[in-house]
Amino acid sequence: MEVKGIDGKLEKSDSTSADEISHLSIDIGGSLIKIVYFSTNSKCNTNDEAPMLSKERQEVPNGDLNHHILSGRLYFVKFETSKIEDCIKFLSSKKLQQCGAQCHHSHAVDKIKIKATGGGAFKFADLFKEKLGQTLDKVEEMESLVAGANFLLKTVNHEVYTYIGGQKEYVQIDQNDLYPYLLVNIGSGVSMIKVDGDGKFQRVSGTSVGGGTFLGLGKLLTKCQSFDELLELSHQGNNRVIDMLVGDIYGGLDYSKIGLASTTIASSFGKAISENKELEDYKPEDIARSLLRMISNNIGQIAYLNALRFGLKRIFFGGFFIRDHAYTMDTISVAVDFWSKGEAKAMFLRHEGFLGALGAFMNYKDGSTDSMPPQLVEQQPAKRSSSCIVDRIHNSTCVHENENGAKDCRLRVSSSFKIYDEVKRC
Amino acid sequence: MEVKGIDGKLEKSDSTSADEISHLSIDIGGSLIKIVYFSTNSKCNTNDEAPMLSKERQEVPNGDLNHHILSGRLYFVKFETSKIEDCIKFLSSKKLQQCGAQCHHSHAVDKIKIKATGGGAFKFADLFKEKLGQTLDKVEEMESLVAGANFLLKTVNHEVYTYIGGQKEYVQIDQNDLYPYLLVNIGSGVSMIKVDGDGKFQRVSGTSVGGGTFLGLGKLLTKCQSFDELLELSHQGNNRVIDMLVGDIYGGLDYSKIGLASTTIASSFGKAISENKELEDYKPEDIARSLLRMISNNIGQIAYLNALRFGLKRIFFGGFFIRDHAYTMDTISVAVDFWSKGEAKAMFLRHEGFLGALGAFMNYKDGSTDSMPPQLVEQQPAKRSSSCIVDRIHNSTCVHENENGAKDCRLRVSSSFKIYDEVKRC
């Protein structure tokens, strides 16, 4: 079976529409649920004879030409884990039906298996059974992350970029020189995984100081209610108000003998020690900035130390902590640069938050060809779609705020081979 | 010149008494000022003929028997850096007079040079000149830390211990197998120094998440006013109320495949994300505990990664963050054990907070024997002093609170060779 992404006609995605979903994977983390689903929009084709597919058919392993090609659209959705009931309502509104090998031949239409990863695949298994009548088909969390990352790194052009001096620079990855690498997935907590090949990996480190710490501490300190609100605050803040800098200790001087500039942070939140101020006396913007810098810098440092430990040339950062946020990426990049004395570079993934869900998606096996995972087939870019290759950060628009206070957003994500429509619930 | 510690008659130390101070070193950090001074109590002896000194005289380098032995007492004092005026008042109340080689022969008595280290030696140089008429004789910060640590590790018995399962276990250090080691000094920020010998070292890493972060964030989150108050709070707290554990994500299960127990912290402060609680709804005790655990664990992890990087067998933790606090040491020990898979052990120093000040003290050179640093000479333990060998944690008593809100405390610190009297200003 091949699942084919379609080109970039952008449609308004309606969470209450009754799209037919043929493949669905879900990654239930501590803070966020990430969903990847493939919707055929009620169309189901076998042995599509469109000329553009001839190449893919020749490339099918073991020469099986009876593979099934589905045309449709790949969607990326997220919910807060605390709002899992909304997530289940959303899925209930869809037709979750298997439309694979059997579809044209026998018209047998089964309910799909939901591929599920993350700790919530265990925690909420009973809830999915009760509410959706679905048994979650569990895929191991680290395995999913690695499969998702490997897929993106090997398949998608313009997936990887560095962020230096406020500039994104896309990096072309040579597939023959991809392994080994360090994958740093920053969710609520942080996992660091040494990846040596397809399915070959080891979780070598991690830290509990991650996205959950940023939002958890941020909510307590600033009364912000959402991650994006906190990020927006940090954008306007100045960490020097509350961080103790080298210059604060050294009377404005650098500590040049050991290479610390006067502006280097000596102690995160250290100025709050001696000042006669209470929480209310600090601007939430400044607190958010200090917090973001502390956490980003710490992750960058631990990641670099682990890359060094295993002699890994490349560090890829993923996970929803990053959110394509300039200051976050800048701090991580600077941390890796600082600690490696310029020898290592942080690299980021455009589909950062969906590694696990994508990896679980790759775990689908067609009933008739068990050994063959789905392949998202590159389509010749249509002329009109080239104009759709846009940066996410400029293209996120909130549609409305629903009664739960959750925002339905539409976010168009493009790559050189397809357009993803993403429905975000922030 | 040798400076000799005296045995353990414990006296009430009075900050307004006019002790004669012959040697004084000061380490001015971002949060704390640490002072080590030697007071002769107006006694000054040359070529002391007491039998117990014969051994030391034989050991004097280059056979110079005209070295000068001062009997007196070594004091350890600390102030908050924000209360530097109190510190200067305290020093003003003392007679700061050089009583060295010249003392008996010519009765020339000069003002002592104050050995000073830490960033504040630069920042507050003018203040000392103005208020005390003293030029600070600066000693480089890392050099001081290393000299202090080397002195303690080589000279003082029962200086080093591990803390495992709530138990201190003293470690005998073989002087011939001391180097290299990793020194982790946890002040407001954290410095990690690879030490290869006397004066041979390199600051290889550090983190801004240190004691200043603990107290800074702690003050904002709990309204605690002092480090010790915050530590005491943490002692009574439960971090599981606010930290997101692996079991919280995995529905109470371990994530056994990668060796994470259900009780492992997945995300520090992560539970605050989803709970509909504000800062006031959490107990300050629980917040303090989460904060302490986050920071201690993070330091332990980064320290271990650096030890691994340089193949260092031993990691010694010093600095005033530790304060002999059971839970802090336990968390650092567990972090090092966890990340090293049992291969490395955290070790702690009894004189943890005074490494820099002690190192600057070692920088004294007698006028007549420039090449010879002071030596604190071991004295045969008197029978009565053996009963004074007590653990600091059980022996700290606050005497009174003065008008500045600072507490004058007396803390008796013993080792096998002398009793230190320490006046603490908490």
Side-chain angles (χ1 to χ4, degrees):
Chain A
M1 181 198 70
E2 289 178 353
V3 180
K4 189 170 66 66
I6 68 163
D7 77 334
K9 189 177 162 199
L10 207 63
E11 295 168 10
K12 182 166 180 183
S13 181
D14 179 357
S15 65
T16 62
S17 75
D19 291 340
E20 186 169 283
I21 297 179
S22 65
H23 299 81
L24 167 67
S25 66
I26 185 163
D27 174 7
I28 312 177
S31 318
L32 289 174
I33 301 171
K34 287 79 65 176
I35 297 176
V36 172
Y37 68 87
F38 183 79
S39 172
T40 56
N41 295 313
S42 305
K43 289 174 193 163
C44 181
N45 305 315
T46 308
N47 290 340
D48 192 328
E49 293 298 329
M52 64 178 181
L53 292 175
S54 59
K55 184 168 169 238
E56 293 104 27
R57 291 182 62 192
Q58 287 163 17
E59 288 174 355
V60 172
N62 68 32
D64 176 12
L65 292 182
N66 292 318
H67 61 283
H68 303 280
I69 297 174
L70 301 177
S71 286
R73 194 177 292 264
L74 204 61
Y75 291 84
F76 295 77
V77 190
K78 73 179 165 68
F79 293 84
E80 288 177 24
T81 305
S82 60
K83 292 175 181 162
I84 193 162
E85 296 282 353
D86 288 354
C87 168
I88 287 176
K89 270 185 213 162
F90 172 80
L91 294 176
S92 299
S93 73
K94 306 286 183 187
K95 290 183 200 156
L96 303 179
Q97 291 179 331
Q98 179 74 39
C99 183
Q102 310 91 329
C103 186
H104 264 234
H105 302 298
S106 64
H107 295 277
V109 177
D110 299 324
K111 274 203 164 186
I112 64 169
K113 280 183 190 169
I114 299 180
K115 297 286 176 183
T117 190
F122 295 85
K123 184 174 181 178
F124 297 112
D126 292 346
L127 190 69
F128 275 79
K129 186 75 186 166
E130 180 195 338
K131 302 274 185 180
L132 287 175
Q134 289 275 357
T135 303
L136 298 180
D137 191 12
K138 298 181 191 71
V139 187
E140 201 273 330
E141 186 174 346
M142 297 300 130
E143 190 181 313
S144 298
L145 287 170
V146 170
N150 278 347
F151 163 71
L152 290 167
L153 291 167
K154 289 194 288 190
T155 312
V156 183
N157 284 324
H158 289 92
E159 176 64 27
V160 179
Y161 58 93
T162 56
Y163 193 88
I164 297 165
Q167 294 295 317
K168 280 186 181 179
E169 190 168 316
Y170 285 94
V171 178
Q172 196 63 37
I173 300 293
D174 177 358
Q175 289 193 33
N176 298 318
D177 189 30
L178 172 61
Y179 306 112
Y181 66 84
L182 188 70
L183 174 62
V184 180
N185 192 67
I186 316 175
S188 303
V190 183
S191 282
M192 301 189 185
I193 310 168
K194 176 174 174 272
V195 183
D196 292 300
D198 274 332
K200 290 182 191 163
F201 63 88
Q202 185 192 357
R203 184 186 189 274
V204 292
S205 198
T207 164
S208 70
V209 187
T213 313
F214 179 58
L215 182 53
L217 271 176
K219 278 180 80 169
L220 297 180
L221 288 163
T222 71
K223 300 194 190 299
C224 259
Q225 287 307 306
S226 79
F227 202 101
D228 292 323
E229 195 185 340
L230 194 61
L231 273 182
E232 180 56 32
L233 268 187
S234 77
H235 191 62
Q236 303 156 29
N238 177 5
N239 71 297
R240 296 182 187 186
V241 174
I242 194 160
D243 287 341
M244 185 187 284
L245 308 184
V246 167
D248 293 324
I249 303 174
Y250 270 76
L253 302 174
D254 296 340
Y255 184 2
S256 47
K257 184 160 182 188
I258 57 171
L260 297 181
S262 65
T263 52
T264 303
I265 300 173
S267 175
S268 294
F269 289 89
K271 270 204 190 112
I273 287 179
S274 51
E275 289 182 329
N276 202 16
K277 287 184 180 177
E278 300 208 344
L279 180 56
E280 297 69 28
D281 300 321
Y282 288 101
K283 284 166 67 181
E285 292 87 336
D286 299 336
I287 288 175
R289 183 87 159 204
S290 292
L291 199 55
L292 183 59
R293 188 142 181 196
M294 176 181 90
I295 293 170
S296 301
N297 190 49
N298 195 62
I299 293 170
Q301 180 180 12
I302 294 176
Y304 165 68
L305 285 168
N306 276 290
L308 194 69
R309 176 181 171 191
F310 295 105
L312 307 176
K313 288 188 297 183
R314 296 200 189 94
I315 312 175
F316 298 112
F317 289 87
F320 257 124
F321 174 71
I322 300 170
R323 296 185 189 216
D324 203 48
H325 185 259
Y327 189 64
T328 308
M329 294 189 295
D330 189 61
T331 308
I332 290 175
S333 297
V334 167
V336 170
D337 183 72
F338 176 84
W339 290 110
S340 73
K341 295 190 169 69
E343 292 197 357
K345 276 190 177 47
M347 288 188 270
F348 302 94
L349 300 174
R350 290 202 330 138
H351 299 89
E352 56 194 21
F354 287 98
L355 304 187
L358 263 174
F361 194 91
M362 306 309 288
N363 189 267
Y364 265 114
K365 291 178 178 63
D366 186 278
S368 61
T369 52
D370 269 347
S371 61
M372 195 172 154
Q375 294 171 22
L376 294 164
V377 180
E378 182 164 5
Q379 184 169 322
Q380 299 300 319
K383 273 186 180 174
R384 65 178 166 74
S385 72
S386 62
S387 65
C388 295
I389 297 177
V390 287
D391 195 302
R392 260 182 287 180
I393 207 161
H394 301 304
N395 204 37
S396 171
T397 51
C398 285
V399 178
H400 69 278
E401 191 164 291
N402 69 18
E403 68 275 18
N404 300 319
K407 288 173 188 166
D408 286 345
C409 306
R410 295 194 75 247
L411 187 61
R412 184 171 57 178
V413 183
S414 71
S415 75
S416 64
F417 77 106
K418 71 177 72 67
I419 299 290
Y420 299 144
D421 280 0
E422 183 182 350
V423 182
K424 286 184 101 176
R425 278 177 107 86
C426 322
Chain B
M1 182 196 72
E2 290 178 354
V3 180
K4 189 169 67 69
I6 66 163
D7 78 334
K9 190 178 163 198
L10 208 63
E11 295 169 10
K12 185 167 179 182
S13 181
D14 180 357
S15 65
T16 61
S17 74
D19 290 341
E20 185 170 283
I21 297 179
S22 65
H23 299 81
L24 166 67
S25 66
I26 184 164
D27 175 6
I28 312 177
S31 320
L32 290 174
I33 301 170
K34 287 79 65 176
I35 297 176
V36 172
Y37 69 87
F38 183 78
S39 172
T40 56
N41 296 314
S42 307
K43 289 173 192 165
C44 181
N45 306 314
T46 307
N47 290 340
D48 191 328
E49 292 299 327
M52 64 180 180
L53 291 175
S54 57
K55 188 171 168 235
E56 292 102 30
R57 291 182 64 191
Q58 287 162 16
E59 288 173 355
V60 172
N62 69 30
D64 175 12
L65 291 182
N66 291 319
H67 62 283
H68 303 278
I69 298 174
L70 300 177
S71 288
R73 194 178 292 264
L74 204 60
Y75 291 83
F76 295 77
V77 189
K78 73 178 165 66
F79 293 84
E80 289 177 21
T81 304
S82 60
K83 293 176 180 163
I84 192 161
E85 296 284 353
D86 288 354
C87 167
I88 287 175
K89 271 186 214 162
F90 171 80
L91 293 176
S92 300
S93 72
K94 306 285 183 188
K95 288 183 199 156
L96 302 178
Q97 292 179 333
Q98 180 74 39
C99 184
Q102 309 93 326
C103 187
H104 265 231
H105 302 299
S106 65
H107 295 280
V109 177
D110 299 323
K111 272 205 165 184
I112 66 169
K113 282 184 189 168
I114 299 180
K115 297 287 177 183
T117 190
F122 297 85
K123 183 174 182 178
F124 298 111
D126 291 346
L127 190 70
F128 275 80
K129 186 75 185 165
E130 179 195 338
K131 302 275 186 179
L132 287 175
Q134 289 276 355
T135 302
L136 298 180
D137 191 11
K138 298 181 191 70
V139 187
E140 202 272 331
E141 185 175 345
M142 298 299 131
E143 190 181 313
S144 298
L145 286 171
V146 170
N150 279 346
F151 163 70
L152 290 168
L153 290 168
K154 289 194 288 191
T155 311
V156 183
N157 284 325
H158 288 93
E159 178 63 27
V160 180
Y161 58 93
T162 55
Y163 193 87
I164 298 166
Q167 294 295 317
K168 280 185 180 180
E169 191 168 315
Y170 285 95
V171 178
Q172 196 64 36
I173 301 292
D174 177 358
Q175 288 193 34
N176 298 318
D177 188 30
L178 173 60
Y179 305 113
Y181 66 83
L182 187 71
L183 175 62
V184 180
N185 192 67
I186 316 175
S188 303
V190 184
S191 282
M192 299 186 186
I193 310 168
K194 176 173 173 273
V195 183
D196 293 300
D198 274 332
K200 292 182 190 163
F201 63 88
Q202 185 191 356
R203 185 186 189 273
V204 292
S205 198
T207 165
S208 68
V209 187
T213 314
F214 178 58
L215 182 53
L217 271 176
K219 278 180 81 169
L220 297 180
L221 289 164
T222 70
K223 299 191 191 301
C224 258
Q225 288 307 307
S226 78
F227 203 101
D228 292 323
E229 195 184 340
L230 193 60
L231 274 182
E232 180 56 32
L233 266 187
S234 77
H235 191 61
Q236 303 156 28
N238 177 6
N239 71 296
R240 297 182 186 186
V241 174
I242 194 160
D243 287 342
M244 185 188 285
L245 309 184
V246 167
D248 293 324
I249 303 173
Y250 271 77
L253 302 174
D254 295 340
Y255 184 3
S256 47
K257 184 159 182 187
I258 57 172
L260 298 180
S262 64
T263 52
T264 303
I265 300 173
S267 176
S268 295
F269 289 90
K271 271 204 189 115
I273 288 180
S274 51
E275 289 182 330
N276 202 17
K277 287 183 179 178
E278 299 207 347
L279 180 56
E280 296 69 29
D281 301 321
Y282 288 100
K283 285 166 67 180
E285 292 87 335
D286 298 336
I287 289 175
R289 182 86 161 204
S290 292
L291 199 56
L292 183 60
R293 188 143 181 194
M294 177 180 88
I295 293 170
S296 302
N297 189 49
N298 196 62
I299 293 170
Q301 180 180 12
I302 294 176
Y304 165 68
L305 285 168
N306 277 290
L308 195 67
R309 176 181 171 193
F310 294 105
L312 306 176
K313 287 188 298 183
R314 297 199 187 93
I315 312 174
F316 298 111
F317 290 86
F320 256 125
F321 174 71
I322 300 171
R323 296 186 188 215
D324 203 48
H325 185 261
Y327 190 63
T328 309
M329 296 189 293
D330 189 60
T331 308
I332 290 175
S333 298
V334 167
V336 170
D337 183 72
F338 176 84
W339 291 109
S340 74
K341 295 189 170 69
E343 292 196 356
K345 278 192 175 45
M347 286 187 272
F348 302 93
L349 300 174
R350 292 205 326 141
H351 299 90
E352 55 194 21
F354 288 98
L355 303 188
L358 263 173
F361 193 92
M362 305 310 288
N363 191 268
Y364 266 115
K365 290 177 178 61
D366 187 277
S368 60
T369 53
D370 270 348
S371 61
M372 194 172 154
Q375 295 171 22
L376 293 164
V377 180
E378 181 162 7
Q379 184 169 320
Q380 297 301 318
K383 273 188 180 173
R384 62 177 170 77
S385 72
S386 63
S387 64
C388 296
I389 298 177
V390 287
D391 194 301
R392 262 183 287 182
I393 207 162
H394 302 304
N395 206 38
S396 172
T397 50
C398 287
V399 177
H400 69 279
E401 192 165 291
N402 70 17
E403 67 275 20
N404 300 318
K407 288 174 188 165
D408 286 344
C409 306
R410 296 193 75 247
L411 187 62
R412 184 171 57 178
V413 184
S414 71
S415 74
S416 64
F417 78 107
K418 71 178 74 62
I419 300 289
Y420 300 142
D421 279 0
E422 183 181 351
V423 181
K424 287 185 98 176
R425 277 177 107 85
C426 323

